[in-house]
Amino acid sequence: MIGSRALRIEDRVLLRGAGRFAADTQRAGELHMRVVRSPVAHGRIVSIDGTEALRLEGVTAVWTYADVADLPAIGFRLTPREELLPYRQPVLARSVVRYVGEPVAVVFAESSYLAEDAAELVDVEIESLPAHLDPDAEPVVWVDAEQASWAAGNGERLPAQDSEASVFTIGYGDVDAAFSSGEGRVFTMDARIGRHTGVPMECRGLVAVYDEAEGQLIVDGAAKVPFWNREAIAAMNGLAPSQVVVRETHVGGGFGPRGELYPEDVLVTVAAMRLRAPIKWIEDRQEHLMATNHSRGQHHRLRALVDEDGYIRALDATFTLDQGAYVRTHGATVASLTASMLPGPYVIDNLRVTAHVRLTHKTPAGTYRSPGRYEGTFARERLIDAIAHGLGLSREQVRRRNLIGPEQMPYERPIQAMGTHLVHDSGDYALLIDKAAERFDFPAIRETVSRRRAAGERVGFGFGYFVEKSGIGPSEGARVVVDSAGAVTVLCGASSVGQGVDTVLAQVVAEVLDVPHDSIRVVRGRTDQFQYGRGAFATRLTVMAGSAALNAAKAVRDKAFRTAAAELAVSVEQLRIRGGVVEVEGAEHGGLDLGQIAGILEPLRASELKEEPGLAADGWFHTDHMTYPYGLHAALVRIDEGTGRLEVERFMVAYDVGRALNPLLVEGQIAGGVAQGLGGAMYEEFLYAADGTPQSTTFMDYLVPTAAEVPPIEMLVTEDAPSPLNPLGVKGAGEGGTTAVAAAIASAVDDALQRPGAIDSVPIKPDTLRRLLQPTTTHDVPTKE
Amino acid sequence: MTRSTVPVRLYVNGDRYDIDIEPRRTLADALREDCALTGTHLGCEHGVCGACTVLLDGQPVRACLMFAVQAEGASVRTVEGLAPDEETLHPVQKAFWEHHGLQCGFCTPGFLTLVTGYLEEHPEAQEDELRDVLSSNLCRCTGYQNIVTATMSAAEEMRG
Ligand code: FES
Ligand code: FES
């Protein structure tokens, strides 16, 4: 069962249209919330007048900051660096607006149509101020002392703060000494990654109601981190966490942005308490594209000291991260991950990475699938290509020269990643290149490229190597319960954003109890069903929840064995489980099925057997290190000379996941990840006018790849390096489809153009390619293979 | 001010719905909220993503771009109307399941109706043509290949 291509247990419901997504919850007497958003990027609020809106019949309330002035700014869930506190976002703008789309007021009305009408009648007067949009420009004054002290919320009086929220440096060795040694050659790379983000197909939404009978606030439509959000919602509403029930319904994609605690979420729950009515809020797509976290948006400047054979002695890197207008729940997570994962699979003797987190008058930014690694991998792999070109070595040679060797594993890099020591747990990085080259026949691809190029086509081949991370702890738990009919339920603190976690957990439990995986029910993402859960992020669930479910299932099996042994008067060693029946080894018939054993374990009998009542057990898994899967992306591209159109003819992924619990789902994760990576490499970008007006607020201007743009993804999933850190040996597969896409495409485009280093930013758009295709005075220099 | 409503009769999945709605109500909202058929999803409400696709007299249409009053008297088929009964899946649904053509499942109703509508009219369609048809809807999870494979396999199954 573990390792099989089991079909998903989630699908029957979804295929019949019977799922329950956020917008599908309807409650009698519900009020619809609509957010009034700032139309300007930066300005001072002069007045907000809701009188006209309130005149509409069916409009219940209009709130501005004054109505929620008692609420604090939204807190950090991860990487809560102290210096970021003054940049936290209020749930409604206080006196200054800082991006187009910032909530300035909310209206509540009896229908969603009416709420929209009313929102348009709210009269918002804002005096515009100049917008600061370039994170590379000198920092400007960002928040005054009053706002800074208020947002920090720690009782301290802070001075005004500038737009550089944080600067920090990590590293090891002595970079300066290396560079001043006078040995080796210096290579530089200036690389930019455009602003884009997850854009799940389902927009955000939340429905909350205060149940007076139960004395509980019920919140439906949460995702990703329901347990953390419960604590935050409880605190914001002055309730005990046990008085708040947060339930995840079906979730239409996560990818990082969805499920974090946003201003709207707080407003929905506060309104449910104060207006004593069910409150429903469903974001529309235009709102989503300017209100939900953006991501990426980085500018890297890399400098490397390299030996003649391509070995990198030192890497000195600086990058700016365009944080947008506020620092939200992720704190400094993206910057911190970018810095720590920048060296990737390479040894690099001396390292220094400096991060600049800078505010601009744009939508706030957070994580998106492979946060920091997509950006860093692009910059680093561009640098490696530049080194190869400069030294006259092949791109593959330079990579091989620098890879951490299998004999060096586990390999500790003396820096931290997400607050844990960065230890590459296992891997044979070079072996994966060999395997990929063989499986996809790189020599044949190179030959085809030369042949077609000779015939006048603009084709190119390129690749990028990366290391991912997954399975962040510290803990995850699961409970396996068998009822008297023998039906198995797994309850856990995990969350699902649509990636198939139910199936994987069911497979793990099915293997131990030897029952069909599709007979198992999985309950997750509900704070009233389990006591603890860290959430669905950072590709952690297969590792963490999977291991916890394994431990819980084993504990249930042990308990079933003990009970059956007593009942059948045999020893535990004589028992085995087959098809959900515990039987005596070698016996023809007899035995007890799990339902019968659950029946035996009713409270009275159980106490006689000295067991806890019920056939149930909890399992936990703890870890203080992450696991590091790794992979390689390769692309074959063709550029149309006339239009500059870039076509990805083939895209190949080789990825070592330690152990694939369900290859079907692993491949699905990779394919979906690649499509998103292609979006960021070629199509998707949030652009802004000079005054800060967003120009990508519909699917007409924010281009999500379709079936016409995404080629079939060729995959090689290997299991050469199981993780020693968990009982299943798994490393997460959720993000490795995305990580090196931009790097591989850029490398292939350089090759197609026969201009090494031509591509230093993504997305790569046709107009860029048209410009690069103009005849130049310099001669084409082929990349060496 | 009270808003005026109009009576509209919709035939959805063979059932008759007599509803009173504002004339400006979209077909998608009427299906979801007035007929309680929430399988039709809204991913953009501006005609690009196709999550709201339903079959109107057999033709795939964007239910977010139509007013419910425009569907008066027409026959509407939504994702809830694809499977013949509680136990059995429609061949297109079955193919999506077997080929892992969905992850979060949010775009899925739109793809299922699109594919069903198209294959019923063009049973002989081949891969290139089907890929082209599928490019009218967005999916953010799957990377599409499994959707293409599922569609091809459903086409074969439906041809019998
Ligand atoms: S919701 Fe109708 S096309 Fe997107
Ligand atoms: S399966 Fe999630 S959008 Fe298609």
Side-chain angles (χ1 to χ4, degrees):
Chain A
M1 184 41 61
I2 291 183
S4 81
R5 304 176 72 86
L7 295 184
R8 299 207 325 167
I9 62 174
E10 292 91 339
D11 289 1
R12 286 189 84 82
V13 163
L14 295 167
L15 286 163
R16 302 179 70 96
R20 185 180 296 124
F21 292 89
D24 301 342
T25 297
Q26 272 190 51
R27 290 180 187 277
E30 68 191 4
L31 294 177
H32 296 257
M33 183 177 94
R34 178 79 185 174
V35 181
V36 181
R37 298 181 182 278
S38 171
V40 301
H42 185 205
R44 190 164 297 285
I45 298 174
V46 179
S47 64
I48 301 173
D49 183 359
T51 326
E52 278 296 303
L54 279 166
R55 279 211 188 102
L56 284 185
E57 192 185 315
V59 175
T60 310
V62 178
W63 286 0
T64 62
Y65 174 70
D67 298 284
V68 292
D70 55 319
L71 298 178
I74 294 179
F76 300 141
R77 183 174 67 79
L78 290 171
T79 331
R81 292 178 74 97
E82 178 97 25
E83 72 271 20
L84 299 176
L85 287 171
Y87 302 90
R88 297 191 303 165
Q89 182 166 10
V91 295
L92 287 174
R94 300 177 76 229
S95 56
V96 172
V97 291
R98 295 185 173 82
Y99 64 97
V100 172
E102 176 164 6
V104 295
V106 274
V107 302
F108 301 92
E110 283 166 8
S111 83
S112 56
Y113 284 64
L114 192 59
E116 281 196 50
D117 292 344
E120 278 175 22
L121 292 176
V122 175
D123 192 14
V124 181
E125 203 185 318
I126 297 174
E127 176 200 334
S128 290
L129 296 166
H132 175 74
L133 300 173
D134 180 6
D136 284 325
E138 276 304 298
V140 296
V141 175
W142 191 257
V143 283
D144 62 19
E146 192 279 331
Q147 172 72 19
S149 309
W150 177 86
N154 52 7
E156 280 175 45
R157 287 169 145 268
L158 299 174
Q161 307 280 316
D162 72 13
S163 60
E164 180 146 86
S166 180
V167 184
F168 60 89
T169 300
I170 63 160
Y172 52 81
D174 191 337
V175 170
D176 290 328
F179 274 97
S180 55
S181 69
E183 292 163 36
R185 280 177 62 179
V186 175
F187 289 89
T188 59
M189 174 53 57
D190 192 296
R192 291 167 191 269
I193 301 88
R195 187 172 244 261
H196 60 275
T197 192
V199 191
M201 289 318 298
E202 183 196 20
C203 291
R204 290 181 293 142
L206 209 66
V207 184
V209 62
Y210 182 68
D211 181 335
E212 281 204 73
E214 301 275 349
Q216 279 188 319
L217 175 64
I218 317 281
V219 184
D220 287 310
K224 184 179 178 179
V225 286
F227 288 82
W228 192 87
N229 287 355
R230 174 187 59 174
E231 306 285 314
I233 290 167
M236 290 273 205
N237 284 286
L239 297 169
S242 55
Q243 288 177 285
V244 178
V245 177
V246 176
R247 299 190 292 213
E248 177 176 275
T249 52
H250 283 109
V251 178
F255 318 123
R258 192 190 167 92
E260 293 295 329
L261 190 75
Y262 285 88
E264 296 90 345
D265 302 312
V266 176
L267 289 162
V268 168
T269 62
V270 170
M273 293 301 295
R274 297 188 185 173
L275 302 176
R276 283 299 151 95
I279 308 290
K280 180 171 185 171
W281 172 70
I282 302 299
E283 183 184 55
D284 70 27
R285 184 56 67 184
Q286 192 177 13
E287 291 183 287
H288 182 91
L289 292 172
M290 56 188 186
T292 299
N293 287 347
H294 289 182
S295 195
R296 317 284 197 227
Q298 292 190 3
H299 181 190
H300 286 245
R301 295 178 188 85
L302 271 40
R303 204 163 63 98
L305 182 73
V306 186
D307 287 345
E308 277 310 310
D309 65 353
Y311 184 73
I312 303 169
R313 295 233 229 143
L315 175 63
D316 191 8
T318 300
F319 68 94
T320 52
L321 182 154
D322 182 351
Q323 175 57 40
Y326 292 98
V327 180
R328 286 180 171 170
T329 48
H330 292 115
T333 301
V334 178
S336 154
L337 279 171
T338 306
S340 52
M341 298 297 286
L342 188 65
Y346 309 122
V347 172
I348 306 180
D349 297 333
N350 303 280
L351 175 79
R352 178 169 62 206
V353 190
T354 302
H356 295 263
V357 179
R358 290 183 170 171
L359 283 293
T360 58
H361 290 112
K362 302 177 192 169
T363 300
T367 61
Y368 171 32
R369 201 174 205 170
S370 200
R373 283 90 78 196
Y374 186 85
E375 301 93 317
T377 297
F378 176 72
R380 179 192 67 238
E381 295 298 288
R382 292 278 67 208
L383 174 70
I384 304 278
D385 274 12
I387 293 170
H389 172 63
L391 295 176
L393 300 170
S394 83
R395 294 175 286 179
E396 193 176 315
Q397 253 175 312
V398 176
R399 287 180 170 86
R400 284 185 188 273
R401 178 68 190 87
N402 286 286
L403 291 176
I404 298 166
E407 73 289 349
Q408 290 169 284
M409 295 289 173
Y411 183 77
E412 177 163 4
R413 214 185 273 289
I415 48 177
Q416 298 236 315
M418 288 187 98
T420 65
H421 290 295
L422 202 169
V423 183
H424 297 244
D425 51 336
S426 60
D428 190 337
Y429 296 168
L431 178 67
L432 192 66
I433 301 189
D434 298 340
K435 286 193 167 182
E438 190 188 321
R439 161 65 73 91
F440 305 125
D441 202 350
F442 287 170
I445 296 177
R446 291 194 175 104
E447 203 187 296
T448 316
V449 166
S450 330
R451 191 160 28 80
R452 289 173 64 187
R453 184 175 293 147
E457 275 190 279
R458 287 281 183 184
V459 287
F461 175 63
F463 56 91
Y465 206 108
F466 66 95
V467 168
E468 258 301 334
K469 50 139 257 329
S470 73
I472 180 122
S475 302
E476 206 63 49
R479 179 174 306 139
V480 173
V481 182
V482 184
D483 70 15
S484 58
V488 179
T489 303
V490 184
L491 300 125
C492 59
S495 286
S496 173
V497 285
Q499 71 278 53
V501 68
D502 295 9
T503 301
V504 171
L505 297 182
Q507 278 181 268
V508 169
V509 174
E511 167 108 355
V512 177
L513 301 181
D514 200 29
V515 295
H517 82 293
D518 54 5
S519 71
I520 296 176
R521 200 165 75 92
V522 178
V523 178
R524 38 99 192 118
R526 300 176 63 142
T527 64
D528 57 344
Q529 300 291 314
F530 202 73
Q531 65 274 37
Y532 180 90
R534 285 266 295 171
F537 60 95
T539 307
R540 60 187 297 278
L541 282 178
T542 306
V543 174
M544 296 300 301
S547 301
L550 179 71
N551 291 339
K554 284 182 173 166
V556 159
R557 187 185 56 191
D558 292 349
K559 188 172 184 179
F561 278 13
R562 289 195 304 272
T563 309
E567 189 73 12
L568 302 171
V570 293
S571 78
V572 164
E573 289 70 35
Q574 289 171 271
L575 295 172
R576 63 168 182 189
I577 190 162
R578 213 175 55 176
V581 178
V582 177
E583 51 191 27
V584 179
E585 196 98 45
E588 287 290 296
H589 42 74
L592 294 165
D593 66 36
L594 290 172
Q596 289 170 314
I597 296 173
I600 293 168
L601 286 166
E602 54 82 29
L604 205 56
R605 251 338 272 295
S607 86
E608 286 165 22
L609 293 168
K610 298 195 170 37
E611 294 282 357
E612 287 289 311
L615 182 51
D618 287 4
W620 290 89
F621 182 68
H622 311 282
T623 186
D624 47 13
H625 284 98
M626 294 196 281
T627 82
Y628 294 85
Y630 55 94
L632 176 137
H633 287 183
L636 174 67
V637 305
R638 177 179 168 275
I639 305 169
D640 183 279
E641 298 247 13
T643 60
R645 186 176 109 91
L646 175 59
E647 186 190 346
V648 181
E649 294 187 345
R650 291 180 65 182
F651 199 94
M652 295 147 271
V653 177
Y655 196 29
D656 195 287
V657 296
R659 186 168 179 208
L661 299 190
N662 184 332
L664 188 69
L665 302 196
V666 168
E667 288 161 15
Q669 284 296 308
I670 293 174
V674 170
Q676 290 191 312
L678 289 173
M682 295 161 63
Y683 307 104
E684 298 173 35
E685 190 171 23
F686 290 110
L687 295 171
Y688 286 83
D691 66 353
T693 304
Q695 299 188 314
S696 317
T697 60
T698 71
F699 280 153
M700 269 90 83
D701 10 67
Y702 188 87
L703 302 178
V704 169
T706 73
E709 284 80 41
V710 183
I713 311 301
E714 300 164 59
M715 288 173 227
L716 170 64
V717 175
T718 61
E719 301 180 321
D720 290 326
S723 175
L725 300 180
N726 63 70
L728 293 163
V730 290
K731 299 177 176 179
E735 301 177 271
T738 306
T739 320
V741 178
I745 295 286
S747 180
V749 170
D750 269 10
D751 189 42
L753 293 167
Q754 290 290 284
R755 288 180 57 176
I759 300 299
D760 56 9
S761 72
V762 282
I764 307 164
K765 302 225 171 138
D767 54 341
T768 311
L769 293 177
R770 290 256 302 158
R771 182 168 46 75
L772 289 168
L773 283 166
Q774 299 300 317
T776 51
T777 43
T778 52
H779 284 294
D780 288 353
V781 203
T783 29
K784 182 163 186 272
E785 291 299 353
Chain B
M1 154 175 115
T2 24
R3 258 148 241 286
S4 55
T5 59
V6 293
V8 176
R9 175 166 297 179
L10 296 177
Y11 294 94
V12 190
N13 304 329
D15 295 328
R16 193 176 102 187
Y17 294 83
D18 289 301
I19 57 177
D20 261 315
I21 52 170
E22 281 185 60
R24 63 173 172 167
R25 199 159 186 76
T26 64
L27 176 59
D29 284 340
L31 290 169
R32 291 179 46 81
E33 280 161 40
D34 302 294
C35 307
L37 294 167
T38 53
T40 299
H41 295 157
L42 290 167
C44 71
E45 295 173 276
H46 55 258
V48 179
C49 76
C52 65
T53 306
V54 299
L55 299 176
L56 191 81
D57 292 330
Q59 297 292 323
V61 298
R62 308 286 210 219
C64 72
L65 291 187
M66 268 187 82
F67 294 115
V69 292
Q70 293 174 287
E72 168 86 44
S75 139
V76 181
R77 198 164 164 211
T78 68
V79 66
E80 290 94 340
L82 296 182
D85 57 58
E86 288 282 311
E87 303 302 317
T88 328
L89 293 175
H90 184 278
V92 177
Q93 291 171 315
K94 191 162 148 274
F96 269 63
W97 185 40
E98 286 169 352
H99 295 277
H100 189 28
L102 63 152
Q103 287 181 29
C104 78
F106 191 79
C107 69
T108 312
F111 275 100
L112 296 174
T113 46
L114 174 72
V115 169
T116 303
Y118 195 80
L119 288 180
E120 281 176 356
E121 299 234 319
H122 309 270
E124 301 302 324
Q126 296 302 305
E127 172 158 1
D128 279 357
E129 179 183 349
L130 289 174
R131 201 173 254 280
D132 215 42
V133 170
L134 292 169
S135 75
S136 53
N137 283 17
L138 297 179
C139 171
R140 195 59 164 164
C141 298
T142 62
Y144 301 106
Q145 186 52 43
N146 287 350
I147 293 182
V148 176
T149 314
T151 302
M152 307 262 294
S153 136
E156 209 179 299
E157 169 94 24
M158 284 166 74
R159 281 196 292 267

